Amino acid sequence: MNFDGFTPHEFTRFGGLVDNDDPTVLPMGVAAVCRNCRFQLTTVATRYGLQTALQSPNQAAITGLAGLIYTPENPGETLFQVPMVFDTDGYLLIEKPVGSGHLVRVQGPLVTQPSNAHALMTEAYNRALIAYSNLKTPLAPINVYGLNTQQLDPYGQKPLGAAWLASTAYLVGEYVQPTATGGNGHLYRCTIAGATKATEPTWPLAENATVTDGGVTWEELTPVLVNRLPAPNSPQPTRLAGGGTFAAGRDVYLQITYLNPQGESIPSAAGILVNTNLNDAARFTVPTLASLAGWIRGLASAYKLTSVNVYEADVVTGAAAPSPASFALVGNFAPGATVTVTNTAAGAAPPSANTARVTPGGLTPPATPTVGRASGSGTFAAGRDVYIIATFTNALGETLPSLAGMLSDTLLDDAIQVPIPSTLDQITGVNLYEANVATGAAAPATNSYALVGSFQPLTTATITAPASGPPPPLCQHRLHQPQRKPERNGRSVHVHQC
């Protein structure tokens, strides 16, 4: 074989694998392993066994071509290729699967590719940037294609949420805020492209409200940063004379909380019925789901608001407001229900921590630990069932615990051994928790486990005696940076864990 500018090297055989010569003595530029190649007397054909022709859904001329490569950004991801093609019919296509020769059209709801145009493509930050022109002037806005997300979007020419500009062209998907210093706390998304007027519009504050601004239509669409259902607005109780058994001269305070399948929010500020008459009741209406913010209405069923709890406390008229711990549960009610509180409540106190999550959390818990016996290496009593659960930890927090692994029916002076597996997750350690019961008894409750200690992957933990540390977490603490999750019903919801 002869490469121009290089010393000739004769090869007496061809093969896909160098198995007789040390790869280190190969000429520079010659690979030790060749895949998908066909060696002939004077040539080497690449992509052998793969489709070498890319089959378009139409017969239009190709005016744009790029070979893109996704570089892994997260643990567990792999490098992959994305061959991309553009034709004169305005079709942007990718080969899928790679090597098949089959082209699939790529489209986005906010972009339109021009026909009879050329596409200039480049790659940055695992995204393809695609410009369209007649090789002299642009014919359409730049598009951005996420190699991993497979989403095609317009390239934003203006900073997200920049101040509104007069007599300026805006594209669909661009965001502005009012020109007043600091804005007004809302963002507005262009839903119909065009040019703005010379004078600033009056910006609506209602969720998803729209305003026409010259040729542009703006929609109120403000991102929300959440990880829990918020505290509700205060209830507004009214007096129902003769409807209850309250004594005269009482100030009745009412709070409500939201509930979803994950837990309960913190309570609202209190609404007050002042200076009851004898046998008064307090009445108010719970908000309907339809009256709440769009991001709440759009939550998945695992996080959707299902009901509210009502809490009551009362004091002598004019006395200081009751402490949070003095409120008591009245009952649970459906959204939109009319609630009548007839007397002083005696139920449980409202929660002090918000457990009504609206996100699944960060890292998933570890797999069930494998539990083994180390005879004579510990101080466990005979006849115990030893249960072990595990959590992942890193600098940002700790996951919920795994399912329990168990060693049944210990012998006297047994110890417990637990191999800590490797993981691709970004963790700093694995916490183990232990609980034990008499052999054959019911499994222990989660809050009865105690911390053994923290261990590194690919080590073996030896537990010699019952643990006495703190219990495992009941709430998953955040183990990665906040995520942005687009939600329907009018919000872009940014979520992070507790």
Side-chain angles (χ1 to χ4, degrees), residues 114-401:
S115 58
N116 300 312
H118 292 258
L120 304 178
M121 306 176 190
T122 189
E123 180 180 350
Y125 303 105
N126 281 329
R127 292 169 176 81
L129 303 175
I130 310 146
Y132 306 97
S133 74
N134 61 7
L135 299 183
K136 292 182 178 180
T137 57
L139 296 181
I142 296 174
N143 293 172
V144 181
Y145 178 74
L147 303 187
N148 197 30
T149 63
Q150 302 182 33
Q151 292 181 344
L152 185 67
D153 296 298
Y155 178 79
Q157 303 291 321
K158 302 176 182 68
L160 178 69
W164 175 89
L165 297 171
S167 304
T168 300
Y170 283 91
L171 300 173
V172 171
E174 292 184 318
Y175 285 76
V176 298
Q177 63 176 324
T179 58
T181 302
N184 66 351
H186 295 257
L187 291 183
Y188 299 86
R189 179 180 178 275
C190 175
T191 57
I192 298 179
T196 57
K197 294 192 302 184
T199 56
E200 187 172 3
T202 299
W203 299 103
L205 300 181
E207 185 177 41
N208 301 126
T210 60
V211 60
T212 301
D213 173 21
V216 178
T217 296
W218 299 106
E219 179 189 13
E220 190 283 335
L221 196 65
T222 306
V224 179
L225 181 66
V226 295
N227 69 353
R228 299 287 189 272
L229 288 176
N233 292 329
S234 302
Q236 302 298 315
T238 58
R239 187 187 311 272
L240 180 62
T245 59
F246 278 105
R250 307 292 292 178
D251 290 346
V252 178
Y253 290 75
L254 297 175
Q255 296 178 332
I256 62 174
T257 61
Y258 290 147
L259 283 83
N260 70 6
Q262 307 302 321
E264 185 175 5
S265 75
I266 57 174
S268 66
I272 312 171
L273 177 66
V274 176
N275 195 17
T276 56
N277 298 317
L278 182 63
N279 293 334
D280 272 351
R283 172 176 286 181
F284 70 95
T285 300
V286 173
T288 62
L289 187 61
S291 69
L292 300 179
W295 73 265
I296 296 178
R297 300 195 306 271
L299 290 171
S301 59
Y303 310 107
K304 188 180 291 290
L305 185 151
T306 55
S307 63
V308 301
N309 277 350
V310 176
Y311 296 87
E312 184 273 345
D314 57 273
V315 296
V316 174
T317 295
S323 67
S326 65
F327 282 80
L329 179 65
V330 175
N332 179 260
F333 302 89
T338 297
V339 179
T340 301
V341 182
T342 60
N343 54 22
T344 301
S352 58
N354 192 334
T355 57
R357 293 187 292 109
V358 295
T359 169
L363 300 178
T364 56
T368 302
T370 300
V371 181
R373 186 191 310 269
S375 300
S377 299
T379 59
F380 277 95
R384 307 295 293 177
D385 289 347
V386 181
Y387 291 78
I388 305 294
I389 57 178
T391 62
F392 286 143
T393 64
N394 68 13
L396 296 175
E398 184 176 8
T399 66
L400 289 168

Side-chain angles (χ1 to χ4, degrees), residues 49-91:
L50 305 177
Q51 287 290 333
T52 56
L54 300 178
Q55 300 176 355
S56 172
N58 46 44
Q59 300 299 317
I62 301 300
T63 56
L65 179 65
L68 311 169
I69 295 178
Y70 177 80
T71 302
E73 297 177 347
N74 301 300
E77 293 182 342
T78 58
L79 180 144
F80 60 84
Q81 302 177 37
V82 183
M84 181 172 282
V85 170
F86 182 73
D87 67 24
T88 53
D89 281 352
Y91 277 45

